[in-house]
Amino acid sequence: MAPAASRVPGAAAIRNVAAGCRSLGDAVTLAGSGKMAEGERAAETGGSETGSGGDKTAEELKERANEYFRVKDYDHAVQYYTEAIALSPNTAIYYGNRSLAYLRTECYGYALADASHAIQLDAKYIKGYYRRAASNMALGKLKAALKDYETVVKVRPHDKDAQMKFQECSKLVRQKAFERAIASDQHNRSVVDSLDIEGMTIEDEYTGPQLQDGKVTLDFMLELMKFYKDQKKLHRKCVYQMLVQLKEILSQLPSLVEISLDKSQQVTVCGDTHGQFYDLMNIFHLNGVPSESNPYIFNGDFVDRGSFSVEVIVTLCGFKLLYPAHFHLLRGNHETDTMNQMYGFEGEVKAKYSTQMFQLFSEVFQWLPLAMCINQRVLIMHGGLFSEDGVTLDQIRSIERNRQPPDSGPMCDLLWSDPQPQDGRSTSKRGVSCQFGPDVTRKFLEENGLDYIIRSHEVKAEGYEVTHNGHCVTVFSAPNYCDQMGNKGAYIHLSGSDLKPKFTQFDAVPHPNVKPMLYANSLLQMGMM
């Protein structure tokens, strides 16, 4: 973990950011930064640039915003950039700087809008093209990002960093085009059909855990967790066996899983784990290893960003196979190809196993249920509620989920949406789905006979947050997210007797010296933001 305290903002700073965009990420720092394109540092720290239309007061506000930006208090940075814009609304630099602050907090939709507006105001404002390219890259819109990088290269032909990003983005666009062509030829074929698992040999020198007659046992799981803690790799045959079995189990489940808890029963609900394997082990240490009498629900985003995503998902897979009726996995927005290609899981699986293995993971992820209902009173999903009124539980049940998520509609919303404090709906800060207010939540609950919802999807300073008059609960289980944010993790206990959420907080634990985002898209590792 990052030892330098100066790299981890305090809880107060995180609360400030959480009050704004609420999704805290720092892609540049997480990826090890790297050289910033020529001129980028000036925009980030204020530099010597001044806006052609800005007055002195607006410039003072911008400088104050830059100071907050430097200490990673992005919420206050956005606030003062916004005040500068109010005084000088035609100054491109203010929008460009605010765009960068939004990028730091994963508000890619807002960042994209600001960068585009900056370019509209000043077509020669090169940092605007950088910001817009970064926003589009984060949203998986590679062709749009490539167009902006091309613009930068034409204006700055000797900027080596810009040239490198343009070339890398070009390579990615070609790679994805090739993959789409291959996928169209294999559309109706499963990876499983091409596997010869029985013919795979486990070498004599392999001394790790093995399945017993092809089945997961408790002894296997206990040995596997210890094996993973020692940074060892499970044999590929075992992983293939587990994934094939998991796909079969998940494909038999509905898109909305419904369970009942007796008054004496309890279930633990966990939020995002994001490849933080050692923190997952700490959850099991604090709360007990999963069992039929100690059931769990993991609410999506098992992978990406953290560099132990394989270990996390294989462990969760094993417990699902061991206790299929008492261990539940729901899909998150990071159990999708676009996110996996950008934020590390694809690269990690290829580094530790193979492309074929990643393709099988992709097939398995498409069968993960989208939501869970407990005692017909509490609805759990990764993201949140819907862009339109009138969605019913029956509609959720009827979603055909065996696919990559569409750009809109109920499936997209379940994985991507976020709550907001004000009534109504607004454009998503992420550039996908929407934000929904307390009135939207109240109406949905009333129409479907529910008490409240539990969702994840956003890092919280305390590991959880209760909003919308107690009707919207967020839980996040990756403490000190990406070794940067200093947040606590949390999990929820729900008892069948009252279904009232009881929160347990926990801190991050040490892990081996492997940085987050190690396997992420190379443009992220190059400090594209």
Side-chain angles (χ1 to χ4, degrees):
M1 307 190 82
S6 61
R7 295 182 62 197
V8 181
I14 293 179
R15 289 189 191 97
N16 287 334
V17 185
C21 271
R22 301 179 182 275
S23 179
L24 312 179
D26 189 340
V28 170
T29 310
L30 303 183
S33 204
K35 180 183 176 184
M36 192 173 295
E38 184 179 330
E40 284 283 272
R41 295 187 189 280
E44 187 170 284
T45 60
S48 59
E49 287 189 333
T50 58
S52 57
D55 57 27
K56 181 179 179 182
T57 305
E59 277 296 297
E60 290 174 349
L61 289 167
K62 185 197 78 169
E63 292 303 325
R64 189 168 185 183
N66 290 342
E67 289 298 321
Y68 280 114
F69 188 101
R70 274 191 283 270
V71 297
K72 300 182 182 179
D73 188 344
Y74 303 120
D75 182 59
H76 275 103
V78 166
Q79 175 187 331
Y80 285 105
Y81 287 138
T82 301
E83 292 183 17
I85 287 169
L87 291 174
S88 184
N90 296 318
T91 306
I93 292 166
Y94 301 162
Y95 292 95
N97 282 13
R98 190 172 69 176
S99 177
L100 189 60
Y102 280 139
L103 280 167
R104 291 293 193 266
T105 56
E106 297 180 7
C107 298
Y108 302 130
Y110 290 172
L112 181 61
D114 269 356
S116 297
H117 194 72
I119 293 168
Q120 289 174 0
L121 290 171
D122 183 359
K124 296 181 180 180
Y125 179 57
I126 295 303
K127 290 171 191 169
Y129 295 96
Y130 268 112
R131 306 286 192 264
R132 192 164 70 178
S135 303
N136 278 316
M137 281 295 300
L139 292 167
K141 299 177 180 178
L142 301 181
K143 289 184 178 179
L146 179 61
K147 185 177 180 180
D148 282 332
Y149 283 132
E150 184 177 16
T151 299
V152 175
V153 168
K154 286 180 179 178
V155 175
R156 293 180 175 171
H158 303 297
D159 187 330
K160 293 182 180 179
D161 191 69
Q163 285 280 357
M164 189 161 47
K165 289 175 180 175
F166 171 69
Q167 292 169 7
E168 185 64 26
C169 192
S170 298
K171 183 172 72 174
L172 288 171
V173 169
R174 292 194 300 270
Q175 176 186 330
K176 298 311 170 189
F178 175 75
E179 289 175 355
R180 283 194 298 272
I182 295 297
S184 65
D185 292 337
Q186 300 177 340
H187 181 68
N188 295 319
R189 294 177 55 194
S190 168
V191 173
V192 177
D193 298 333
S194 62
L195 290 175
D196 178 18
I197 297 178
E198 293 305 315
M200 295 179 185
T201 302
I202 296 182
E203 299 77 10
D204 292 340
E205 57 267 27
Y206 176 77
T207 59
Q210 298 185 38
L211 302 182
Q212 302 301 311
D213 297 321
K215 301 297 182 183
V216 170
T217 64
L218 179 58
D219 286 342
F220 170 84
M221 290 305 302
L222 296 176
E223 185 180 356
L224 175 65
M225 290 187 288
K226 184 178 185 302
F227 195 66
Y228 275 159
K229 285 180 182 179
D230 293 335
Q231 291 186 268
K232 297 178 181 179
K233 187 174 75 173
L234 182 63
H235 195 278
R236 67 188 182 101
K237 180 174 183 176
C238 299
V239 181
Y240 276 124
Q241 288 175 308
M242 294 170 71
L243 289 178
V244 170
Q245 294 173 39
L246 180 61
K247 182 182 176 183
E248 177 63 23
I249 287 178
L250 294 178
S251 67
Q252 303 303 311
L253 296 175
S255 292
L256 173 61
V257 175
E258 297 171 83
I259 63 172
S260 297
L261 293 179
D262 293 337
K263 290 185 177 181
S264 61
Q265 292 179 313
Q266 176 180 277
V267 67
T268 301
V269 183
C270 297
D272 304 38
T273 47
H274 273 302
Q276 297 185 198
F277 174 75
Y278 294 85
D279 293 308
L280 173 64
M281 292 298 96
N282 190 38
I283 292 174
F284 292 158
H285 171 73
L286 296 171
N287 194 59
V289 172
S291 67
E292 292 184 357
S293 60
N294 189 26
Y296 280 83
I297 300 167
F298 278 84
N299 194 24
D301 279 15
F302 320 122
V303 300
D304 281 340
R305 295 198 178 275
S307 296
F308 301 96
S309 292
V310 166
E311 289 78 2
V312 168
I313 188 57
V314 174
T315 299
L316 298 179
C317 167
F319 279 118
K320 179 62 181 176
L321 294 174
L322 187 58
Y323 306 115
H326 300 87
F327 193 87
H328 306 282
L329 303 174
L330 300 180
R331 192 174 186 177
N333 65 301
H334 277 267
E335 278 68 58
T336 57
D337 286 355
T338 300
M339 293 294 103
N340 294 163
Q341 290 160 0
M342 290 297 299
Y343 293 100
F345 184 60
E346 180 183 41
E348 182 179 342
V349 176
K350 288 180 177 179
K352 294 178 179 178
Y353 292 102
S354 66
T355 297
Q356 185 184 53
M357 180 79 80
F358 173 72
Q359 291 169 345
L360 183 53
F361 270 113
S362 177
E363 288 187 19
V364 170
F365 288 166
Q366 291 188 165
W367 282 112
L368 286 164
L370 302 176
M372 172 169 280
C373 193
I374 301 177
N375 289 13
Q376 301 180 322
R377 291 173 55 192
V378 180
L379 185 66
I380 305 174
M381 77 290 284
H382 179 73
L385 297 181
F386 306 97
S387 302
E388 297 181 354
D389 289 334
V391 176
T392 65
L393 296 184
D394 278 342
Q395 286 178 273
I396 298 174
R397 293 184 185 101
S398 68
I399 293 174
E400 295 291 339
R401 71 183 187 278
N402 181 26
R403 55 179 171 156
Q404 294 302 308
D407 293 333
S408 61
M411 181 176 177
C412 173
D413 294 333
L414 285 166
L415 301 179
W416 277 98
S417 70
D418 295 292
Q420 64 182 20
Q422 68 272 24
D423 280 347
R425 293 181 176 89
S426 63
T427 303
S428 171
K429 64 200 175 195
R430 301 176 189 267
V432 184
S433 186
C434 70
Q435 295 172 188
F436 59 95
D439 58 329
V440 175
T441 301
R442 182 176 62 253
K443 184 175 181 181
F444 174 81
L445 295 175
E446 290 174 353
E447 291 177 347
N448 288 280
L450 298 166
D451 293 350
Y452 64 95
I453 65 170
I454 296 176
R455 41 89 63 183
S456 300
H457 196 37
E458 295 176 286
V459 64
K460 299 297 177 184
E462 301 302 325
Y464 71 93
E465 184 179 62
V466 180
T467 58
H468 292 188
N469 302 309
H471 294 142
C472 180
V473 176
T474 298
V475 60
F476 193 84
S477 303
N480 195 22
Y481 179 45
C482 295
D483 289 358
Q484 288 292 313
M485 299 319 303
N487 60 289
K488 292 183 180 294
Y491 51 82
I492 299 172
H493 284 151
L494 293 180
S495 172
S497 60
D498 59 15
L499 291 181
K500 292 182 180 178
K502 299 176 179 62
F503 304 96
T504 298
Q505 298 171 294
F506 57 95
D507 293 317
V509 296
H511 64 71
N513 187 26
V514 180
K515 293 181 179 180
M517 301 286 277
L518 177 67
Y519 303 98
N521 177 281
S522 54
L523 271 173
L524 291 180
Q525 296 183 34
M526 288 161 61
M528 56 170 271
M529 297 182 190

